[in-house]
Amino acid sequence: VRRYGWIDVAELQLTLQEWLVSPDHELRTIACRLVGELRLGDLADEVREDLRFAANREHREVAVEALRALGYRIDDGLNTPAD
């Protein structure tokens, strides 16, 4: 995206959905970061679900920031859309 300035959103979303269920937390972290940076709101539920089970501190922070970028308020572990 940074190099070419365009993406196939549908293809990228499918790829990120796969990454978000990967056993590799680093791949899930990259997916969360991209979801937030690219504002892929259609994947918010997947990021929320991933956050529920994330054990790695860095990964949790990236997932929280992604959800905030999508307009979610993070409050005591509950992820709700911001008003």
Side-chain angles (χ1 to χ4, degrees):
V1 172
R2 289 181 180 131
R3 176 180 279 171
Y4 300 110
W6 62 272
I7 56 171
D8 179 340
V9 175
E11 185 176 328
L12 178 62
Q13 285 180 327
L14 289 173
T15 299
L16 293 177
Q17 283 176 319
E18 292 174 9
W19 290 6
L20 285 167
V21 295
S22 169
D24 181 350
H25 83 270
E26 291 178 10
L27 193 56
R28 292 193 322 273
T29 300
I30 292 168
C32 287
R33 185 171 284 121
L34 286 170
V35 167
E37 288 178 359
L38 300 174
R39 306 298 193 268
L40 298 173
D42 289 348
L43 297 177
D45 287 340
E46 286 86 343
V47 174
R48 288 174 61 197
E49 185 68 16
D50 181 57
L51 178 59
R52 288 182 58 211
F53 301 104
N56 179 278
R57 183 173 157 250
E58 176 193 4
H59 176 72
R60 289 186 59 80
E61 290 172 359
V62 170
V64 165
E65 288 307 312
L67 289 170
R68 285 185 176 138
L70 297 176
Y72 280 76
R73 180 179 55 241
I74 309 301
D75 182 28
D76 296 329
L78 299 175
N79 306 323
T80 56
D83 296 328

